Amino acid sequence: TYGRADRADACALLDAADADEVSLPGLRGRSCYPPISQLAEVTVRQQIPATAADLTVHSDPTPTHDPTQAGAAIVTHRDGRRWRVTARTVAAAPRQASCGAAPKPATYLEPAAMEQLAEANSEL
């Protein structure tokens, strides 16, 4: 899913898709993933080169005791490399949910940390 893409960005993302690549400008993540997993995938893609199908993402069920953290996800590259991306919730300015509605509190997710883990196949 992409947001705020102008004509040039849209053309670039279509060209990238044709080449089995992922265009980063405006990338919000794959809509098949929950928000924290989307954020995790985009965070990793911004740090390492990866084709469209190189990365998979799974929610990290490890409980957090830090109230500022919203959760985490594990991103795995097909070559075995893995990262844990932790997200935090940040307050944003109130926004209207629809035309004529009063502004409501809003939040967004941002990465709090990205940690490289042991490779998935390193135990073989």
Side-chain angles (χ1 to χ4, degrees):
T1 302
Y2 287 85
R4 299 181 190 259
D6 60 20
R7 181 181 174 96
D9 290 338
C11 289
L13 74 90
L14 291 172
D15 289 342
D18 286 343
D20 193 33
E21 297 173 355
V22 177
S23 179
L24 294 177
L27 179 63
R28 292 186 177 176
R30 289 187 268 181
S31 60
C32 63
Y33 290 141
I36 291 172
S37 296
Q38 290 178 24
L39 174 77
E41 180 182 12
V42 172
T43 300
V44 171
R45 284 192 182 280
Q46 290 172 335
Q47 300 300 315
I48 64 145
T51 67
D54 280 346
L55 303 180
T56 56
V57 187
H58 299 282
S59 295
D60 184 354
T62 307
T64 178
H65 302 291
D66 183 343
T68 66
Q69 292 185 352
I74 305 295
V75 180
T76 304
H77 191 285
R78 74 171 63 212
D79 68 9
R81 292 178 292 164
R82 300 181 316 140
W83 299 266
R84 181 176 193 261
V85 177
T86 306
R88 69 174 152 244
T89 303
V90 177
R95 298 183 185 153
Q96 287 180 282
S98 63
C99 296
K104 293 183 179 181
T107 60
Y108 63 92
L109 293 172
E110 70 178 18
M114 179 176 142
E115 156 191 22
Q116 188 156 5
L117 304 173
E119 291 190 16
N121 57 7
S122 65
E123 299 162 7
L124 299 177

